[in-house]
């Protein structure tokens, strides 16, 4: 078989979960064609799937150095390098993919995500705007650009971006959820609009969950003590989420529910004091790692954990895993 046929065969082996066989085929190609970018890219994937990150990174970077002027090549390599490279590397690969072919928004979406990952918010906002000029109906681009703008303190522009995208993609649940949270930072937003957007987000999520058969966990508890619910958040403090959560916790049916609050942000203020007073148990754990918090939650013997931030989700995942 020629080099192209061997690379295609290696892709088939990856699809069949035969990663070592895919590696062997790619190495056959590179023995005779050491500068074949496709073989380096597929070998990068095969090695990554075997957990050999350093070798995968080497071949990924070789593929980038030898890359042909093909948008799909840069895009697929960029997706691989998200697990191996730096934010700048990924952003560069996706920028090249977008430059070669902007007929689809995916390369631009991925470039903005990489810029956000690298905390290059000014560039993320600019690239997002350029992408929306070509694909104004891309909800993903609008969401990513709004995140960049919010990090720059430009909440009004973030909301305007999301509102414009909503008109073109009115049934996109993630966009509606981001708009609902971003409105908290825009002084122009009215209570009626905030309520309407939250209600619409809930309606769209309910439709989504029904479509894929997701059932909500029941909270029926027939134990001899109240149901212990751990709430993890960075926002048990002077924050819009904090003010939203306070009345919910105040109105819990205490004979049936015992709230245990884990506050993971270093800030402790007068709102934090109110949360601490409401909690059956209060844990201020700003310097604790995921593993340590997970051990504390297991020791609390809670039946439910509710999270609201990426760190909290990692903690919850660690608890479930253990």
């Amino acid at each position: 078989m020629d080099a192209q046929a061997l690379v295609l065969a290696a892709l088939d082996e990856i699809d069949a979960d035969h990663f070592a066989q895919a590696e062997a085929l790619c190495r056959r190609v590179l023995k005779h064609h050491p500068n074949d970018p496709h073989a380096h890219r597929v070998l990068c994937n095969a090695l990554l799937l075997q957990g050999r990150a350093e070798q995968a990174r080497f071949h990924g970077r070789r593929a980038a150095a030898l890359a042909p002027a093909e948008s799909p090549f840069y895009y697929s390599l960029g997706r691989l390098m998200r697990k191996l490279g730096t934010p700048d590397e990924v952003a560069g690969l996706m920028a090249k993919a977008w430059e070669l072919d902007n007929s689809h928004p995916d390369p631009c979406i991925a470039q903005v995500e990489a810029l956000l990952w690298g905390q290059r918010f000014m560039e993320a906002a600019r690239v997002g705007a350029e992408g929306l000029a070509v694909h104004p109906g891309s909800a993903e681009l609008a969401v990513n650009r709004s995140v960049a703008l919010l990090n720059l303190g430009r909440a009004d522009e973030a909301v305007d971006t999301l509102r414009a995208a909503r008109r073109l993609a009115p049934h996109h649940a993630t966009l509606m959820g981001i708009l609902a949270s971003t409105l908290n930072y825009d002084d122009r937003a009215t209570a009626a609009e905030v309520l309407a957007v939250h209600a619409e987000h809930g309606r769209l999520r309910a439709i989504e969950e029904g479509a894929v058969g997701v059932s909500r966990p029941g909270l029926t508890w027939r134990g001899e003590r109240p149901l212990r619910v751990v709430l993890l958040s960075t926002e048990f403090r002077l924050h819009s989420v904090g003010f939203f959560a306070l009345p919910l916790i105040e109105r819990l049916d205490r004979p049936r529910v015992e709230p245990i609050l884990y506050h993971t942000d270093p800030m402790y203020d007068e709102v934090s004091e109110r949360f601490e007073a409401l909690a059956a148990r209060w844990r201020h754990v700003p310097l604790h790692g995921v593993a340590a918090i997970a051990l504390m939650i297991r020791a609390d013997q809670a039946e439910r954990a509710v999270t609201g931030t990426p760190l909290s989700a990692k903690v919850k995942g660690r608890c479930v895993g253990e």
Side-chain angles (χ1 to χ4, degrees):
M1 288 192 288
D2 63 13
Q4 183 179 4
L6 285 169
V7 170
L8 291 173
L11 287 170
D12 290 338
E13 294 290 0
I14 288 176
D15 287 341
D17 293 340
H18 300 156
F19 308 133
Q21 293 89 324
E23 176 188 350
L25 289 170
C26 290
R27 292 196 185 280
R28 278 178 60 187
V29 174
L30 292 172
K31 182 177 180 180
H32 301 288
H33 305 280
N35 293 329
D36 187 307
H38 299 281
H40 280 290
R41 178 177 60 81
V42 177
L43 179 55
C44 169
N45 194 14
L47 292 166
L48 177 62
L49 291 167
Q50 294 178 75
R52 292 153 62 186
E54 284 300 321
Q55 294 178 58
R57 186 176 295 110
F58 170 81
H59 287 283
R61 287 174 174 162
R62 284 294 294 152
L66 300 165
E70 301 171 3
S71 179
F73 184 94
Y74 279 99
Y75 179 71
S76 60
L77 181 59
R79 287 174 61 85
L80 279 176
M81 293 304 288
R82 283 192 298 194
K83 302 174 183 177
L84 298 165
T86 66
D88 290 349
E89 283 180 296
V90 177
L93 291 166
M94 294 305 184
K96 190 65 178 177
W98 174 251
E99 176 189 326
L100 290 166
D101 183 4
N102 66 1
S103 63
H104 196 280
D106 281 357
C108 190
I109 293 169
Q111 183 187 356
V112 177
E113 288 173 351
L115 293 169
L116 290 173
W117 173 25
Q119 299 188 12
R120 293 161 60 183
F121 302 123
M122 288 287 289
E123 289 176 75
R126 175 183 58 78
V127 173
E130 292 171 359
L132 286 168
V134 182
H135 298 281
S138 172
E140 291 81 3
L141 267 177
V143 166
N144 288 346
R145 182 168 190 262
S146 73
V147 172
L149 291 167
L150 201 56
N151 275 281
L152 293 169
R154 292 154 59 182
D156 55 343
E157 292 179 63
V159 168
D160 290 343
T161 296
L162 293 167
R163 283 173 175 157
R166 180 189 179 187
R167 288 192 287 271
L168 296 171
H171 306 300
H172 197 286
T174 300
L175 185 149
M176 202 67 64
I178 297 295
L179 175 58
S181 62
T182 307
L183 282 171
N184 292 321
Y185 303 94
D186 188 351
D187 292 338
R188 303 169 302 171
T190 64
E193 181 186 12
V194 173
L195 178 60
V197 171
H198 275 84
E200 181 63 6
H201 177 231
R203 187 185 73 82
L204 292 173
R205 284 297 184 198
I207 292 171
E208 268 190 4
E209 292 178 1
V212 296
V214 175
S215 59
R216 297 182 181 276
L219 288 178
T220 302
W221 177 246
R222 303 186 187 283
E224 295 180 356
R225 58 170 175 77
L227 179 74
R228 287 180 185 157
V229 179
V230 166
L231 305 172
L232 301 95
S233 180
T234 59
E235 291 149 352
F236 292 138
R237 55 186 172 85
L238 190 62
H239 188 279
S240 58
V241 173
F243 287 115
F244 180 82
L246 267 172
L248 299 179
I249 296 174
E250 286 173 343
R251 288 165 174 76
L252 286 175
D253 185 353
R254 289 312 180 86
R256 300 176 62 192
V257 181
E258 182 180 303
I260 305 172
L261 306 190
Y262 278 71
H263 181 40
T264 57
D265 190 86
M267 182 178 292
Y268 181 94
D269 53 30
E270 64 272 18
V271 178
S272 306
E273 290 180 0
R274 293 175 63 186
F275 277 111
E276 183 173 6
L278 290 170
R281 302 179 196 176
W282 170 261
R283 314 284 195 212
H284 190 197
V285 287
L287 301 178
H288 292 59
V290 169
I293 297 175
L295 287 173
M296 293 174 69
I297 291 174
R298 293 179 66 201
D300 281 331
Q301 298 181 319
E303 285 75 41
R304 292 284 188 274
V306 180
T307 65
T309 63
L311 171 63
S312 301
K314 288 181 182 177
V315 172
K316 182 177 177 180
R318 182 67 174 262
C319 291
V320 172
E322 294 181 355

